[in-house]
Structure formats: C-alpha cells, structure tokens
Amino acid sequence: MRLACHQFLATDVEALRSLLRLLESYLRNRWEVVERIDRDIDLVLVNLDHPAPAPLPDGLNRIDCAARPRLRHRACIHRPLRASEILTVLNDAVSAEARPVCAAVSAPTGRHRLAAWPLQLDGWHDDALRILATLTSRAATQAEIVAATGVAPARVDVVLSRLRDQGLLELATQRVPPAPRIVHGNVVPGRWRALATRVGRLLGLPA
Amino acid sequence: MNACHKLVFIGEPGAGKTTCIAALSDIAPVTTDVGCTDDLARRKASTTVALDYGEMDLGEQGMLRLYGLPGQERFRFMFDVVRDGAMGLVVLVDAASAQGLDGLAGTLATYADELRQRPFVLCLNKHPDPPMAFRERCMAMLRDQGLVAPLLVIDARSRSDLAQVFRMLCLLLDHGDYPVLDGERGGA
Ligand SMILES: Nc1nc2c(ncn2[C@@H]2O[C@H](COP(=O)(O)OP(=O)(O)O)[C@@H](O)[C@H]2O)c(=O)[nH]1
Ligand SMILES: [Mg+2]
C-alpha cells in the first residue's frame, strides 16, 4: 500500500520510513512512503500545523496530524508521529482500490438533506465536520459529498448513517434539481481554512 | 491588495456581542452602548442598542472587521452597513437565562432571510454546558425557520473559543455554496 505525507518536513518523512521498518512485522500490509500524491494513494498523512495549508485532491483517504491533536478533532493524531497511532491508522486503512467498489455498492440515488447539526460535536471527527459543512448549504448525493469533501465514500456512508440514526438526515425523495453550484471565480479551495489558521494563531491557538 | 473580511455578531442585548468584539479587536472597540429607559434597562444597566465595531489586523491576509448588531427588528436597517462582504455571522444566545430563547426567537424573526444566504454559527454563551433541552429548543427554532447551522458552546471572553467559532465559519465557507460575497476583496 502507498502512503504519502502532505506538507511534512523531510526529516518527519524519514522518521516515518524508519517507523515503518520497525513496525513491519505488526502491519497487516506492506506500506511504502511515496512522494507524489495522486488518486491511487491509499492514505495521506496531513500536517495540519503547516502555516500555509495547501489543498489536496478530492476523494483521498486522509489522516490529520498535529502537534496538539486534541485541540483539533478526535481522529487527529500526534505529530511527531507515534508508533502506536501509526500502527492503528495503517491497519485500519482501506486501500484505494477497494474504495470505488464501496462507492458503487452504496451510492444512493437521492440527495441527503441535513435537518440540523448534532447538539454537541464531541466525537464527530474532522471528516464528519466537513460533511456536515457541505450539507449545511445544500442537499447532496453521496458522490457530491465525496467530491466536495475529499472524504472516502466508505467513511461518508458511515457518517451519513450516524446522522440518519440521530434523525438529523432526510433523503430528498423527489428528484430535486441540483442546487446551483455558485463558482467562486477567483477563490482557491481551502482559502478560508488558511484564514482560520491565521486567526487561530493571532488568538493564541497553538501552531 | 489586502482583503477585507467582515464578521457580524448578532444577538439579544446581553448575549455577549460587545464581549466577543472586545476579546478579538486590536483597537479599542467602538461601542455605542447607551442607557436604556425601557424594560431592557432592568436586565442590563448598559446595553447595546446600536453598533459595536472592532478590527483585527490579519497582516498579509488583510483585515477582519468586526460588527455587533442588536437582534431586534427596529435596528434591522443597520444590517445594510455590514451586508456587503459579510463572510458570515455569529448568532449569540444567552444560555444562562430562559430569556435567551426569546432573544433568539427575536433575532431569527429579524434576520432569518439574511441567515439563509450566509454561513452562520449559533453560539450558546454564558453557560459552560447548556442543558440538552435548551440546545434542542434552539435547534428547533432554527428548523422552524428552515435554517441549518452548527451549534457551539462558547465563553465570549475566551479568544480560543472565538478562534474555534471562526474555524467553524471557515469550514462552512470552504465546503458550502453561498452567493458570491460582494466586497469581500474590497479594501474599503
Ligand atoms: N460568565 C460569562 N459572562 C459573559 C459571557 N459573555 C458575556 N458575559 C457578560 O455578560 C454581560 C453582557 O455581555 P455584552 O457583551 O455586554 O452583551 P451585548 O449586549 O450583546 O453586547 C457582560 O457583563 C459580560 O461580561 C460569558 O461567556 N460568560
Ligand atoms: Mg453590547
């Protein structure tokens, strides 16, 4: 399986390579760290602490890493990377090949409409928050959610069914015309996140 | 060219608008609190009946202009000042008082149509852990107006809580479809 690091220092990447050698006998799959991030990557580690976050292609399976992960979200892991967390994350990862199959099986025809956000957000990880943010302004199909969030289809399904269980999600039954997608002509994806990072720093959140 | 972003706090008197802006602003906030003669005066000696204003210099990323607006209908005209380029809103609710729900009802009655066009975060303030029943009532009020928004519990005096609110707003903006925000780039 192929693993990539997004916006990590070269020394961090080297450390990860040695960690993989140490963990080899405990890992379910053979993992290699590659430089190029393309759609066939099985997992991407993302450095949330990078001062200028760069967008990633949609649909990637990602794990966020930060120096203070608990200030981010529950699924975020430590940076510098810790052996125990890396082991869990890699052994849980679904390969990129397996993902399109999940999508084909579960792709629903209708659009999901969010009726309300959960009353408390503890335990909803970053992927789930991105899905909720997407559904806040429009109803969307599973495929549209995948495209808008970059979250793997299988994980989108997990979040959608959790929302449905809590009575927060409705399936728009009649064929709704697609919500008009207003294109922000000169807007770079993820630009608001960069602004949030800046504001967070000014307000004393750890880098 | 430096961008100018506008962030608008709305809420009932006493909900924490001035507190939020004071916590964020680099400049001494311009606050137009005046004494009230009506029933509000009994709730709060000095209360916002007009506009609060503050600024946060974001360096290369421009300027964040902060506005506080009362939720009552009679001050609605003031939204015209902030509408262009408002990146989003923070709706504040005093969760320490049952009147907070009335305040939210008033704010939603005044601003529901504006809230439909922009991302906003509903912030329950002045209570460390508002009861689920209170949260449910707030969410039900949003639903009744056809509004969907995240609910965060904050302390308006806490800069890190406000940073989380800002993060949430940016998440909504990055992943949502909202009308192009005129004036967003203008350095007015
Ligand atoms: N304990 C506590 N008090 C708060 C909080 N937010 C605001 N206050 C207090 O509540 C009062 C009203 O807040 P203010 O910002 O003036 O409300 P405004 O009328 O919306 O501008 C002030 O005395 C604040 O100090 C909070 O999160 N916790
Ligand atoms: Mg005030």
Side-chain angles (χ1 to χ4, degrees), chain A residues 84-198:
Chain A
S84 60
E85 289 181 334
I86 284 293
L87 188 64
T88 309
V89 158
L90 296 188
N91 280 343
D92 284 352
V94 180
S95 82
E97 268 176 285
R99 274 182 277 138
V101 179
C102 300
V105 168
S106 62
T109 48
R111 283 205 159 75
H112 301 279
R113 188 196 310 281
L114 184 67
W117 278 63
L119 293 179
Q120 58 181 10
L121 296 174
D122 299 349
W124 293 88
H125 53 70
D126 195 38
D127 286 351
L129 297 183
R130 287 209 294 271
I131 292 167
L132 284 159
T134 302
L135 292 173
T136 296
S137 65
R138 63 183 185 277
T141 64
Q142 185 232 35
E144 288 166 344
I145 297 168
V146 169
T149 58
V151 178
R155 288 192 82 164
V156 170
D157 287 343
V158 170
V159 173
L160 292 179
S161 66
R162 191 169 163 203
L163 289 169
R164 205 174 299 115
D165 290 347
Q166 297 193 11
L168 300 175
L169 204 64
E170 297 152 3
L171 201 60
T173 43
Q174 74 272 60
R175 280 211 89 50
V176 260
R181 170 130 199 127
I182 295 146
V183 177
H184 297 245
N186 59 345
V187 173
V188 185
R191 67 181 280 255
W192 293 105
R193 180 167 157 163
L195 194 68
T197 304
R198 172 82 188 150

Side-chain angles (χ1 to χ4, degrees), chain B:
Chain B
M1 179 164 67
N2 269 355
C4 158
H5 308 281
K6 292 181 185 172
L7 179 60
V8 184
F9 295 87
I10 49 179
E12 70 207 276
K17 302 179 293 292
T18 304
T19 308
C20 288
I21 291 174
L24 292 172
S25 183
D26 304 325
I27 59 165
V30 181
T31 298
T32 49
D33 279 3
V34 298
C36 277
T37 49
D38 61 11
D39 63 322
L40 288 175
R42 262 170 271 127
R43 287 166 59 183
K44 196 163 166 285
S46 153
T47 195
T48 301
V49 296
L51 197 74
D52 282 319
Y53 177 74
E55 293 179 353
M56 215 177 147
D57 186 349
L58 307 180
E60 283 176 0
Q61 292 180 59
M63 176 75 83
L64 182 62
R65 298 185 191 278
L66 309 158
Y67 298 88
L69 256 65
Q72 304 105 300
E73 174 62 34
R74 62 198 153 120
F75 301 112
R76 161 81 195 233
F77 67 92
M78 287 194 295
F79 198 79
D80 295 341
V81 177
V82 301
R83 182 180 287 105
D84 271 0
M87 62 182 283
L89 298 101
V90 177
V91 174
L92 288 159
V93 179
D94 175 356
S97 135
Q99 284 157 326
L101 292 171
D102 299 335
L104 176 60
T107 299
L108 294 180
T110 308
Y111 285 111
D113 54 341
E114 301 290 352
L115 292 169
R116 253 173 233 121
Q117 298 172 52
R118 288 174 186 75
F120 72 101
V121 181
L122 184 68
C123 289
L124 306 197
N125 182 34
K126 298 169 85 166
H127 192 301
D129 188 17
M132 282 301 148
F134 190 94
R135 299 178 199 217
E136 265 162 25
R137 284 291 307 280
C138 293
M139 280 303 200
M141 284 183 188
L142 291 191
R143 267 173 111 145
D144 287 348
Q145 295 279 355
L147 295 168
V148 179
L151 179 157
L152 294 181
V153 176
I154 67 162
D155 184 322
R157 300 162 297 183
S158 155
R159 285 161 65 87
S160 62
D161 281 11
L162 294 171
Q164 299 296 355
V165 173
F166 194 80
R167 249 172 85 99
M168 183 57 91
L169 210 49
C170 288
L171 187 76
L172 296 174
L173 283 161
D174 268 336
H175 293 286
D177 284 336
Y178 299 97
V180 171
L181 305 172
D182 291 335
E184 181 181 273
R185 298 166 299 278

Side-chain angles (χ1 to χ4, degrees), chain A residues 6-7 47-55 190 193-195 197-198 201, chain B residues 60-61:
Chain A
H6 185 56
Q7 299 193 298
N47 176 10
L48 290 190
D49 300 324
H50 196 282
R193 180 167 157 163
L195 194 68
T197 304
R198 172 82 188 150
R201 294 203 155 184
Chain B
E60 283 176 0
Q61 292 180 59

